[in-house]
Every structure is written in C-alpha cells, then in structure tokens.
Amino acid sequence: MIDNRITRMLGVQYPIVQAPMGWIARSRLASAVSNAGGLGIIETSSGQLDEVRAEIGKMRELTDKPFGVNIAQAFVRDPDIVRFVIDQGVKFVTTSAGDPRKYCEALKGAGLTVFHVVPSLQAALKAIEAGVDGLVVEGGEGGGFKNPREVALMVLLPLIASKVDVPIIAAGGMLDGRTMAAAFALGAEGIQMGTRMVSAAESPVHQNWKDAIVAAAETDTVFLNRFGPGPALRALRTEKTTRMEKDPPPDGPMKEFGNALDLYFGGDMEASIALSGQVAGRIDSVRPVADILRDTIEEFEAVTADLGQRYGRA
C-alpha cells in the first residue's frame, strides 16, 4: 500500500483512479480497477441515469472495494443528481465540466468526499473556495472534453500544487510507473488513467477502438473545436476527425456523438469521435487492469528508489 492523503481519503491500496468516461466507465471496467487496488469510477456523462443506477448495483455484486461516481455537470441535466448520487451510498464523487459551487456543499453535507476536475489555476482556486476536498488537475494532452486553452500537465500541475494545499490527482498522459513518479515529483499524490483504461482488456469498447489506440503514434490525436461553440476535445485521428480539424463544422462537433454507440460498441471508427489522449502513442498492447496497476506500482517504486539512490545527495 502507498500511504498518502489520497489513499487514506479514498480507502484504496493504490492512488490510481480510473477516468469517468461516458458509457465506458461502468461496472465491468470500474470493478476491475477497484478489485486491483485502485478506485473505479462510474460515469454519469451519458445522461442515462437509470442505466447508471443499475451499473452501481452491479458494482456492489462485483467488488467489495471502494468506488466513486462522477457528476459531469454539462451533460447531466437532472436537477436531482445530488440526491441520486447520495442515494447510491457512494462516498467519493468527482465533479467536472461546470461550477464547483453548484453541488459541493450539498455533497459534503451528506458526508461525501468531493474532488473537482480543473484545467487551469483559476479554476483550481475557484474549486478551493467552493470547499472541495481535493482536485483532479487535467492537462491538455489528455483525451476527452477540454478547456479550449489547453495547458500541458508539466506546466499546470506544479503551478497549481504551488498554490493549494489539498491533495491532487494528476490526469493527462498517465500510463505507467514512470509517469506516476513524474506526477508525484510535480506535486500530485495520485494519478488518473483514461486512455490506458479505454484500451484495457476489461474495457467494454469495441476491439477496433482498442486496436486503433495500440496502433497510434504519439502524433495521432487531434484537438478539435478550439474556437467553439461548446467544449474543445482531444480525439484519435481518423478520416472524420482530420476533416474536422482542417474544416471545423460551424455548429461544433457535438452532433457527432449522436452516433457514438456505433463507434464505441459497433466498431465503426468513422461513425463518431473516439476520444483519446496523446498517451495513446505509448500504449502498445491490450492488457488486463490488474496487470496495468501492478506493473505501474512496481515501476513507480523502482523509479523513485533509483532516483533517490542516484540523486539523493546531489
């Protein structure tokens, strides 16, 4: 066990959190992460709360370890989402894509631990003012929906860590023990894996998406919709996303997600947008979650020990 504020807060063995990806972050994947010693997260960004409720029920059948729920504020319109989460009996929530003040007080008043996802120092300070217990600091190299003014984690993480005193989970480019050690050196106490988990054996997405991640070079993502309307996003390079990169649709890319399930579970890589981070360029195989977490921790310990031995007296 790694003993720090993150593992103590979350009750987990390892400070490794799985990203709350829409339709993907459900019981099959999340339970594998929790059972391996990390923290699985159930998504709400799909907006399918009846299915999410069922997935949380399945989690309790598949694991007796802690897990959490994400509230993606821009995508969940249900005014009772706080009561929904509280009623599920979870103890950890990440909030994202919205104002941290909207739900923080109510969630904390019900005894939940709340982390907010932030893409900038200004957003981090706003979340601290709202009373969050911690932050997920998300660099622009990560996959999914993004602040149009993206900042690399190498810059963003130490900047925020120098200004706040709450525990930080680093997101964006997190893959293995070496990236985990780098994040800890920059001020994090935990990491979040997204694209690595999309490509995991237990991920429910179609094999075509996993194969595309494995085949991707480090340059094979695109940053779309930088000038709106709506959020920017990072995705795998396909014929569709290359066209959108060169000639952005005037009404934004969000309508493409109307066919998301044809890509996610049908395997048609041109049907929608495959949200993925730049770290896809470092993923070379589909692996079980338990192996990913075990090897990450072993490499993290080896890297930090080696650095201490070589540079501890520098």
Side-chain angles (χ1 to χ4, degrees):
M1 180 176 178
I2 292 178
D3 181 28
N4 65 15
R5 289 186 293 179
I6 295 291
T7 55
R8 291 194 295 270
M9 274 185 175
L10 308 188
V12 296
Q13 188 174 5
Y14 307 132
I16 300 175
V17 178
Q18 156 247 311
M21 303 156 291
W23 290 285
I24 302 170
R26 295 194 171 181
S27 59
R28 176 178 165 186
L29 176 61
S31 64
V33 175
S34 290
N35 284 330
L39 191 81
I41 300 286
I42 298 293
E43 58 87 19
T44 61
S45 57
S46 64
Q48 300 172 329
L49 295 189
D50 287 341
E51 293 187 18
V52 169
R53 183 183 290 106
E55 290 296 317
I56 293 173
K58 292 177 185 176
M59 282 293 286
R60 302 197 189 284
E61 299 173 3
L62 295 170
T63 185
D64 60 356
K65 303 293 180 61
F67 65 93
V69 170
N70 168 257
I71 299 177
Q73 296 174 208
F75 305 103
V76 179
R77 304 298 185 182
D78 189 329
D80 294 325
I81 186 63
V82 170
R83 174 49 53 189
F84 170 85
V85 170
I86 292 170
D87 288 347
Q88 306 315 306
V90 297
K91 298 301 182 185
F92 177 74
V93 173
T94 59
T95 55
S96 59
D99 190 334
R101 296 171 295 188
K102 188 171 185 179
Y103 299 130
C104 183
E105 183 177 357
L107 290 167
K108 285 177 62 67
L112 280 71
T113 298
V114 180
F115 278 44
H116 190 69
V117 182
V118 297
S120 67
L121 175 60
Q122 181 181 15
L125 297 178
K126 185 176 181 180
I128 296 298
E129 184 179 346
V132 299
D133 298 293
L135 301 171
V136 179
V137 173
E138 185 176 46
E141 63 268 62
F145 297 97
K146 291 282 169 285
N147 187 320
R149 297 181 178 181
E150 86 279 15
V151 181
L153 192 67
M154 180 67 77
V155 173
L156 185 62
L157 176 54
L159 173 63
I160 293 176
S162 71
K163 304 293 185 181
V164 305
D165 191 31
V166 297
I168 293 173
I169 297 169
M174 296 297 105
L175 172 72
D176 53 15
R178 192 167 295 277
T179 49
M180 182 174 173
F184 276 46
L186 295 174
E189 294 180 54
I191 62 171
Q192 177 176 282
M193 292 183 177
T195 304
R196 171 74 274 191
M197 292 301 172
V198 175
S199 68
E202 293 89 345
S203 168
V205 304
H206 195 279
Q207 188 65 35
N208 288 355
W209 191 352
K210 299 181 186 184
D211 291 344
I213 291 173
V214 170
E218 75 278 10
T219 54
D220 282 342
T221 64
V222 294
F223 195 79
L224 301 175
N225 207 42
R226 185 181 299 275
F227 301 107
L233 58 155
R234 185 175 295 283
L236 278 178
R237 182 177 297 282
T238 62
E239 292 182 11
K240 178 189 288 289
T241 59
T242 297
R243 288 195 302 270
M244 296 174 71
E245 180 186 33
K246 294 178 179 178
D247 186 18
D251 53 351
M254 295 304 293
K255 66 179 182 180
E256 298 293 340
F257 288 95
N259 301 318
L261 301 189
D262 293 335
L263 185 156
Y264 282 44
F265 309 118
D268 182 353
M269 296 300 293
E270 298 296 335
S272 185
I273 299 173
L275 301 173
S276 300
Q278 290 178 331
V279 78
R282 293 196 58 221
I283 296 172
D284 58 11
S285 62
V286 174
R287 305 186 64 217
V289 165
D291 291 354
I292 293 169
L293 265 64
R294 182 198 64 232
D295 290 354
T296 294
I297 295 302
E298 289 181 357
E299 185 179 51
F300 169 79
E301 292 174 342
V303 167
T304 53
D306 179 63
L307 288 170
Q309 184 175 19
R310 287 199 285 165
Y311 302 115
R313 292 179 175 271

